[in-house]
Amino acid sequence: MARRLSCLITGAVVATTMLSGCGGGGTDGGGPVEISYGIWDLEQQPALEQAAAEFSKRNPDVKVKIQVTGWDEYWAKLKAAATGGAAPDVFWMNGPNFKLYASNGMLLPLADRIAAEKVDMSVFPKSLVDLYTYEGKSYGLPKDFDTIGLWYNKKLFDAAGLKYPDESWTWDDLRAAAKKLTKADKSVQGIAAELNNQATFYNTIAQAGGYALSPDGTTSGYDQPATIEGLKFWTDLIKDGLSPTQQQMTDSKPVEMFESGKVAMYYSGSWYATRFNKNTATKDTIDVAPLPAGRKRAVVTHGGANVVFAKSEHADAAWKFVRFLGSKDAADIIGRSGAVIPAYAGTQQAWIDSAPQFHLKIFIDQLAVSVPYPSSKNTAGWMDEEPKYLSKAWTGEVGIEEAAKDLAAKMNASLAQEK
């Protein structure tokens, strides 16, 4: 189908070969249309192509073209495309970026369509429905969610004569195990203290009773004692030699260290189940347990949503596709792929069964103690500062208290600009 000239020009201006909209064919007024669907994860592409094919089978006049852009480039290209009026008709959205796009009129409000078609939003976790609501209006249908678990190497635990982690574990148990698992020559270390907000320190901050962003979203919590305690958990592991140094984790990715058996434990998300299941080095040698408790049990949860570009010329077709992606049928397809945990209630078992040797159910069970991933109107404005300040403590250049308080001041300045 021929693309419109205006779209080609706009696409050239924003210099994107991916993440550009301008679906071909006719309009929602009649005739077949092609809509574009922007995503960032190659692991999920096969399942989404299957879902798109099923959708087009039920809606022969609507074809879906999936555009995959890697995570590192996704947001920059999406921003350029949306600003130029050429974003995909449907695309993935996450919590940190949602309010920025919604408040700037880049997303089509879906509340009226949801009400008109009586879409049952109770099938999705309430935290995700709330996450994609802005000024009382829904802008997206949740697609999946994730939590964090303690991945561990069974062979290394067996060699050290240690019992495997379970839900009774506390921070003290983890430290004691890490000490026994760490070899004198450091060829194996107990855990990777990765500088990663969602996978590591947001969880321990919550377990210590702290927060990165105040519940009302107006102030930083990085200068609070409990928050600093949650950060210190990680810097102490490095200081005690139980984790590789920050420089070593910069030179080699912590996940690769875990896969190669150089670290025995690794905090990370449910999204790694597919990767570890495909890797012959980890498929039958690792497992996953709930996160150890600090002052209390807690885990950060987050999830994505499918949204419609506000300037899509095929808004009706785009909504129809989003509506299908939010159905049980689509969730079943995605769950069977094992790539992510589908958000639709009652469809998670297929994801659990995709790698039965892992105790994947712990990711879903931990929802009972979950806390939301922090976000504000301009999350990137302060979240981008986290690694800049905290890395100084991870390397030992400054103490964690100094780094955290400096970050709090920078973050509060950013939050003040949101008002």
Side-chain angles (χ1 to χ4, degrees), residues 61-75:
D61 288 341
V62 185
K63 302 298 181 187
V64 180
K65 183 178 181 180
I66 296 178
Q67 301 172 340
V68 185
T69 303
W71 171 259
D72 290 343
E73 297 179 311
Y74 183 87
W75 295 106

Side-chain angles (χ1 to χ4, degrees), residues 35-36 40 70 87 114-115 122 147 153 236 246 289 300 349 378 400:
I35 59 173
S36 50
W40 63 68
I114 289 171
S122 71
T147 62
N153 185 314
D236 280 352
Q246 176 63 10
V300 170
Q349 189 60 46
N378 183 21
I400 187 60

Side-chain angles (χ1 to χ4, degrees), residues 218-230:
T218 61
T219 58
S220 171
Y222 277 112
D223 53 0
Q224 301 299 308
T227 303
I228 294 171
E229 181 184 351

Side-chain angles (χ1 to χ4, degrees), residues 95-100 213 217 374-380 382 415 418:
N97 287 284
F98 166 66
K99 290 180 182 176
L100 182 66
L213 178 67
S375 66
S376 64
K377 194 171 181 178
N378 183 21
T379 309
W382 53 266
L415 289 168
E418 295 184 9

Side-chain angles (χ1 to χ4, degrees), residues 181-204:
L181 289 160
T182 299
K183 293 186 176 181
D185 63 0
K186 308 297 184 189
S187 59
V188 175
Q189 288 175 280
I191 189 167
E194 185 174 19
L195 181 57
N196 183 308
N197 55 18
Q198 184 180 4
T200 60
F201 61 82
Y202 279 174
N203 299 283
T204 49

